[in-house]
Amino acid sequence: MSDQREPSVVSGKSFTAVAINCAAKAGEWIKTKLGNYNRLDTKYSSHDLVTEVDKGSEQLIKKLVLTHFPHHSFLGEEGVEPGPEASAQALADKSEAEYLWIVDPIDGTTNFVHGFPFFVVSIALAYKGEVIVGVVYDPMKDELFLAEKGKGAYVSGKRMQVSKEETLSSSLIATGFPADHLYALPLNLKGIQALAPQVRNLRSSGSAALHMAYVAAGRLTGFWEIGLNSWDLAAGSLLVQESGGIVTDTQGKSYHLGVRNVAASNGLMHEPFLKALAVAEATE
Ligand code: 2AM
Ligand code: CA
């Protein structure tokens, strides 16, 4: 087996092996529940959905992680009250953790609920606040995106690289339509209005983690969105960085776990990308 494939080899009780195992197990289980679950609740607003499957997936992952690493800390979307303040507080509460697992058990819940086949499991491990392992698993395509700090990023065992577009006009860019209709959605819509005529085209799959993985894989040139949470971005941020791309907030500051307004790209068009958002006053 070539060196390039090594990081996806599962062995022993390594952090990466556990992350992969959790994502694969949760993803397979989620897939069996597609169109086959009982409870649908809303969280922050009628646009913010959660199902028993989100909760079950998080329990499965948490149990597995803590079985292997009982002294590690765990931050999962379903363990946090809805809303930006609670998210920020939950992250602050874990700021002293040496090893912190940051998990979105289903990123793209609205898609899952509607049977629109774009949703992923996102699992990151941070060491002293820095992401060192990131896994995003898409069970519908059976694609596993993996990055280890300093060791590159891989999709299903194949090394990933960001795309090569250097201009906005040649870029395919993704964004989202945030559930928060008071603050995040209007800002994002401003960015959309400004960027749509300037780029090759825009896409919106409904899963931030999948967009980050696709930037890493060179399938998208860039991605931005206002009002995301640490669990949407932690794994994807390492995927993009280890594939040669850049992750900042929408104002250009380096990525850290607290970033909510994200801009990720191949790096080559990051400057005009951020500039277009700034000119549109769509950054915060
Ligand atoms: P989710 O499916 O895990 O909720 C789509 O715009 C992206 O926004 C998805 O990654 C989605 O993740 C996330 N999202 C949905 N509701 C959100 C909320 N209230 N706050 C922050 N992010 C949200
Ligand atoms: Ca989620």
Side-chain angles (χ1 to χ4, degrees):
M1 193 174 287
S2 76
D3 285 343
Q4 290 201 334
R5 285 178 158 260
E6 272 181 16
S8 65
V9 172
V10 178
S11 65
K13 266 174 39 173
S14 78
F15 301 151
T16 302
V18 170
I20 291 173
N21 193 237
C22 285
K25 281 217 169 84
E28 285 312 310
W29 180 71
I30 290 165
K31 207 168 125 180
T32 67
K33 292 287 180 178
L34 193 60
N36 173 33
Y37 62 88
N38 300 317
R39 278 189 65 81
L40 172 65
D41 295 321
T42 55
K43 293 202 286 187
Y44 204 49
S45 73
S46 63
H47 304 275
D48 195 1
L49 305 178
V50 64
T51 70
E52 66 193 16
V53 186
D54 297 71
K55 293 171 188 164
S57 173
E58 182 159 317
Q59 279 314 309
L60 186 160
I61 295 165
K62 188 172 181 179
K63 205 169 154 203
L64 257 172
V65 164
L66 295 180
T67 298
H68 286 288
F69 307 115
H71 303 301
H72 286 191
S73 297
F74 189 93
L75 174 62
E77 176 171 18
E78 307 313 329
V80 178
E81 290 298 313
E85 295 80 14
S87 301
Q89 188 59 49
L91 189 60
D93 290 346
K94 309 273 178 179
S95 63
E96 298 300 313
E98 189 175 30
Y99 286 99
L100 176 63
W101 293 78
I102 304 168
V103 170
D104 191 339
I106 304 181
D107 187 61
T109 300
T110 304
N111 291 343
F112 175 78
V113 166
H114 286 262
F116 186 70
F118 296 88
F119 46 85
V120 298
V121 178
S122 176
I123 299 179
L125 173 62
Y127 174 71
K128 296 187 175 170
E130 190 183 2
V131 182
I132 57 168
V133 178
V135 174
V136 169
Y137 180 56
D138 171 352
M140 300 308 288
K141 282 184 121 78
D142 190 23
E143 278 192 319
L144 190 130
F145 302 85
L146 162 69
E148 292 176 300
K149 183 87 193 158
K151 293 191 185 169
Y154 297 77
V155 54
S156 302
K158 203 165 164 285
R159 184 98 192 217
M160 291 197 290
Q161 254 197 333
V162 292
S163 67
K164 304 224 180 310
E165 297 84 35
E166 293 182 357
T167 60
L168 277 182
S169 60
S170 59
S171 292
L172 186 64
I173 293 186
T175 188
F177 295 92
D180 165 13
H181 287 189
L182 279 178
Y183 168 74
L185 181 65
L187 262 183
N188 231 55
L189 289 175
K190 276 211 243 175
I192 289 169
Q193 179 142 30
L195 275 164
Q198 297 187 57
V199 297
R200 178 160 287 158
N201 218 320
L202 292 178
R203 295 290 181 263
S204 188
S205 82
S207 165
L210 188 64
H211 288 153
M212 295 288 280
Y214 277 19
V215 172
R219 299 171 188 177
L220 289 168
T221 318
F223 163 64
W224 96 95
E225 188 165 342
I226 301 291
L228 295 172
N229 291 307
S230 57
W231 45 80
D232 299 316
L233 296 172
S237 69
L238 190 62
L239 291 173
V240 173
Q241 288 163 350
E242 288 292 328
S243 301
I246 286 185
V247 186
T248 66
D249 68 11
T250 45
Q251 298 200 313
K253 293 190 210 88
S254 299
Y255 172 80
H256 56 85
L257 290 178
V259 165
R260 301 182 55 81
N261 306 335
V262 76
S265 81
N266 66 2
L268 301 172
M269 44 60 81
H270 209 72
E271 211 180 301
F273 184 26
L274 291 183
K275 186 155 183 231
L277 292 173
V279 168
E281 297 181 356
T283 63
E284 72 164 11

